[in-house]
Amino acid sequence: MGARKQVDAPPAEFAEAVSQLRGARFRPEVFVEEMPAPQRIAPHAAAVSADVTVDGDDVATGRLVILYDPAGNDAWQSTFRCVAYVRAAVEPEMVTDALLGGVGWTWLMEALADRGADFLAPSGTVTRVVSESFGGMADDEATAEIEIRASWSPVPGPGGLVDVTKHAEAWGEVLCTAAGLPPVPPGVVAMPTRRGQRGR
């Protein structure tokens, strides 16, 4: 049994990345919980989902997947890859702004820079969605959303280790920005998320 556990144990580098992901700190409006990770993209993966709640309403949602391939991946230019998704409601008139897509991408780039989360090979899309109702639902107001899908490769720091915490917290920052929350003032530290806090 001991030998079998040793074989099944994840690589130490990936195990450390998962520990860092679990230790990331988010604003109190962000509820984060672990979710099943995709199994066919990379040999090892971990994932979390998040909802941003303001005054009892969910105003943004997202997920973050950490992929790890000890053999490396030419497309990633690394052994690690972050894959992120963010969706948030916006004012319908904002969707007609041709600059919104670029703004959404800038939120991610700036969040990574603010956290000192160095990266390689960024890729992604920003989608604007408008829903209008007709017929029996004609009285419903139009709704609009922005969706950000992105991936990037974390750059190892001193000692050759990747700091997943910075990348996870940058993703959390994008969630809050997309949700329209004001930035946390300099010097103010966001409280860690209580996983499982709902229903208490």
Side-chain angles (χ1 to χ4, degrees):
M1 289 294 290
R4 179 64 179 171
K5 288 183 179 180
Q6 186 66 30
V7 170
D8 292 344
E13 190 175 14
F14 176 70
E16 175 60 24
V18 173
S19 176
Q20 292 175 350
L21 179 61
R22 291 171 175 165
R25 298 165 66 92
F26 303 96
R27 291 175 58 152
E29 297 94 340
V30 182
F31 174 81
V32 180
E33 58 185 347
E34 294 184 34
M35 62 176 288
Q39 299 299 312
R40 298 182 180 180
I41 304 176
H44 304 279
V48 293
S49 64
D51 292 314
V52 181
T53 304
V54 177
D55 296 329
D57 295 324
D58 288 341
V59 293
T61 187
R63 58 182 176 268
L64 177 67
V65 181
I66 306 299
L67 304 174
Y68 177 68
D69 187 342
N73 184 304
D74 291 341
W76 301 354
Q77 302 178 34
S78 175
T79 56
F80 277 98
R81 189 74 172 170
C82 296
V83 180
Y85 172 74
V86 170
R87 187 181 78 234
V90 296
E91 296 296 330
E93 56 268 23
M94 290 181 62
V95 176
T96 62
D97 188 341
L99 300 178
L100 183 60
V103 169
W105 186 252
T106 298
W107 291 339
L108 174 61
M109 296 296 100
E110 290 184 347
L112 290 166
D114 289 346
R115 295 287 178 174
D118 295 331
F119 59 92
L120 294 169
S123 179
T125 62
V126 179
T127 305
R128 296 169 289 169
V129 181
V130 178
S131 298
E132 297 182 80
S133 302
F134 300 93
M137 300 174 63
D139 291 337
D140 294 349
E141 293 184 1
T143 61
E145 295 178 326
I146 183 172
E147 295 182 348
I148 303 170
R149 292 177 172 86
S151 63
W152 64 92
S153 300
V155 174
L161 297 177
V162 167
D163 187 349
V164 170
T165 302
K166 294 179 180 179
H167 296 268
E169 292 177 349
W171 163 72
E173 184 177 327
V174 176
L175 273 168
C176 293
T177 301
L181 296 182
V184 174
V188 175
V189 178
M191 296 298 292
T193 298
R194 291 185 178 178
R195 290 167 175 78
Q197 65 187 357
R198 291 184 176 177
R200 292 185 176 182

